[in-house]
Amino acid sequence: MKILVINCGSSSLKYQLIDMENENSLSTGLVERIGIEGSKLTQKVEGREKYVLTVPMKNHKDAIAHVIDTLLDEVQGVIKSSDEIGAVGHRVVHGGEKYSTSVIIDDEVMKDLEEFSVLAPLHNPPNIIGINACKELMPDTTMVAVFDTAFHQTMPEKAFLYGLPYELYKENHIRKYGFHGTSHKYVSQRAAEMLDKDLKDLKLITCHLGNGASVSAVRGGVSVDTSMGFTPLEGLLMGTRCGDIDPAIIPYLMDVKGYSYDEVNNIMNKKSGVLGLSGVSSDFRDIEDAAAEGNERAKLALDVFHYRVKKYIGYFMAAMNGVDAVIFTAGLGENAVETREEIISDMEWFGIELDREKNKVRGKERIVSTDDSKVKVIVIPTNEELMIARDTLSLVK
């Protein structure tokens, strides 16, 4: 069976068609600037030149129609009929407390997704638009929702509750949810395979480090804690997000600086993180270049980021009473050699020792700790699309 994986943003759409007979990716693509002048589709197929289609796309239905047409194209396509697409797996950011696993989408699920939009106003609405567009274009094809939050629904109350009146949790569902769950789940399973161990016997700390970043504690294959919270704002310093701060800073900025709620929200989500500290960029590559040229604020931003990740690793080691492996994944975790070195440095007391030569790897699976390190350090490129396709296949079967 072939599974089409769809990940919709507000003005973009990522897709991948995967043959589940051998889990080979047949094509990957990105549609950009949906509803904006300059809309374009870029598709990659192994062994071929990259294909770019520039054509107006006024909405997500237009975009998905072009995706299907491209997959079927005589020259650029990889299938002969849309009937070859056995199901569509949709990445959905927020599933609330109700969904701890992926589900086949029906009317009840769609109603729930609308209700959960209040918890993820920037993410769930585009996800819903993508699902509706696919349903309209492929009415007889099974649609599956795979939630970013689902993997973290195994967290115990002591990990997900905030120190707020309990009624706010029961009545308004204010609690830690966690995100990047599909990625944390994939790399945990892959780490067990690489270590030739049963996942149920392992304590793992997974570091999904990119422009958005989170760290999770995974014990016995399930999430027991994670750094992101009620929203993706909590936790690590990120590209433009502030991460953990004293909540009293918010009323202080409003009272003393005269900022509105919207201004403070914009500062915390879009003007903070390594961008705010460095004044250079939200792209870690730009900040690393600036730091190498002597920019002290860029160096400081990197120091703060590395320190925050190191703190969460220590925090989760304490929570699980030890760890068998620390895993680095996502754009920064997979590719930034110096970032991994800085985070793992000075952790020998905990039995974590990095092999600097082995660590000189970008975008490839590798155990990068020393042979005698008690705790393994592993680089694993994430594959959220494959995880979504696997969940979709299991439900369709």
Side-chain angles (χ1 to χ4, degrees):
M1 181 185 290
K2 298 178 180 68
I3 303 290
L4 177 62
V5 176
I6 297 287
N7 179 358
C8 280
S10 56
S11 62
S12 65
L13 183 159
K14 295 179 184 178
Y15 69 92
Q16 189 167 165
L17 185 66
I18 301 175
D19 185 346
M20 298 309 292
E21 291 295 325
N22 48 25
E23 295 192 339
N24 283 344
S25 174
L26 301 177
S27 69
T28 61
L30 171 65
V31 184
E32 301 172 272
R33 301 181 64 81
I34 299 171
I36 306 170
E37 186 178 349
S39 305
K40 70 174 182 177
L41 178 153
T42 304
Q43 177 169 281
K44 297 177 182 177
V45 176
E46 189 173 351
R48 298 185 193 171
E49 290 290 321
K50 180 172 64 176
Y51 171 66
V52 179
L53 172 69
T54 302
V55 62
M57 297 181 227
K58 64 179 182 292
N59 53 38
H60 286 73
K61 182 182 175 183
D62 278 357
I64 291 171
H66 283 295
V67 168
I68 295 170
D69 287 345
T70 302
L71 292 172
L72 292 169
D73 187 83
E74 288 187 7
V75 177
Q76 302 298 335
V78 291
I79 53 175
K80 295 182 178 179
S81 167
S82 59
D83 292 339
E84 292 183 48
I85 301 174
V88 181
H90 294 268
R91 179 203 179 208
V92 179
V93 168
H94 217 304
E97 287 191 296
K98 182 172 181 178
Y99 295 104
S100 58
T101 60
S102 303
V103 293
I104 291 176
I105 297 170
D106 58 17
D107 290 343
E108 181 184 354
V109 172
M110 292 303 296
K111 181 181 177 183
D112 288 335
L113 298 189
E114 294 283 358
E115 291 181 4
F116 297 149
S117 290
V118 70
L119 299 174
L122 299 178
H123 298 90
N124 269 32
N127 299 158
I128 293 167
I129 290 169
I131 294 168
N132 284 330
C134 283
K135 287 170 66 178
E136 191 171 343
L137 291 166
M138 296 180 280
D140 298 323
T141 304
T142 302
M143 304 284 156
V144 170
V146 180
F147 302 96
D148 268 10
T149 50
F151 182 61
H152 301 300
Q153 285 302 298
T154 50
M155 288 189 294
E157 284 186 316
K158 65 182 180 182
F160 72 67
L161 283 176
Y162 292 117
L164 296 169
Y166 191 68
E167 292 75 22
L168 290 175
Y169 162 59
K170 297 304 291 183
E171 295 171 13
N172 300 95
H173 311 292
I174 297 175
R175 51 156 289 179
K176 176 184 285 191
Y177 288 99
F179 300 88
H180 296 143
T182 306
S183 176
H184 290 295
K185 181 179 179 180
Y186 173 79
V187 297
S188 297
Q189 293 180 357
R190 187 70 194 111
E193 293 169 0
M194 291 176 68
L195 295 171
D196 196 23
K197 297 283 183 68
D198 190 326
L199 184 57
K200 293 180 180 178
D201 298 328
L202 293 174
K203 298 174 183 177
L204 305 171
I205 295 174
T206 52
C207 305
H208 178 106
L209 307 182
N211 195 271
S214 62
V215 180
S216 288
V218 181
R219 182 170 57 208
V222 300
S223 174
V224 294
D225 206 346
T226 191
S227 58
M228 282 184 169
F230 180 64
T231 74
L233 185 60
E234 185 182 352
L236 300 174
L237 189 80
M238 304 177 219
T240 62
R241 298 177 192 143
C242 62
D244 295 333
I245 62 170
D246 183 338
I249 292 171
I250 297 168
Y252 176 86
L253 290 175
M254 296 174 76
D255 292 342
V256 175
K257 298 288 288 184
Y259 291 146
S260 67
Y261 160 78
D262 287 337
E263 287 173 322
V264 173
N265 195 45
N266 189 54
I267 288 170
M268 293 190 300
N269 279 284
K270 297 183 179 179
K271 295 183 177 181
S272 298
V274 291
L275 168 64
L277 284 179
S278 71
V280 173
S281 171
S282 63
D283 191 311
F284 282 85
R285 292 167 295 187
D286 295 338
I287 299 172
E288 288 170 351
D289 290 343
E293 293 170 2
N295 186 313
E296 290 300 319
R297 278 182 59 184
K299 184 177 183 303
L300 177 63
L302 293 173
D303 286 345
V304 175
F305 176 76
H306 299 152
Y307 181 70
R308 290 280 185 96
V309 179
K310 186 191 294 279
K311 257 201 327 187
Y312 266 100
I313 291 173
Y315 172 23
F316 290 151
M317 280 195 292
M320 295 192 294
N321 188 27
V323 62
D324 295 297
V326 177
I327 302 157
F328 288 95
T329 192
L332 188 64
E334 296 167 19
N335 296 292
V337 174
E338 296 82 5
T339 293
R340 295 192 298 262
E341 284 187 4
E342 290 297 324
I343 292 168
I344 296 300
S345 65
D346 302 323
M347 299 189 78
E348 293 86 0
W349 192 86
F350 297 101
I352 309 176
E353 297 187 53
L354 193 72
D355 186 314
R356 292 186 173 232
E357 285 303 312
K358 290 180 181 177
N359 188 48
K360 292 177 181 177
V361 62
R362 300 179 189 274
K364 294 181 180 179
E365 289 185 347
R366 182 181 292 178
I367 296 174
V368 296
S369 47
T370 60
D371 292 340
D372 57 355
S373 179
K374 291 175 63 178
V375 177
K376 300 302 179 187
V377 182
I378 313 176
V379 178
I380 302 177
T382 193
N383 196 334
E384 294 169 280
E385 291 79 12
L386 178 57
M387 199 77 251
I388 291 170
R390 286 174 177 172
D391 277 14
T392 300
L393 179 65
S394 66
L395 283 167
V396 171
K397 279 189 171 182

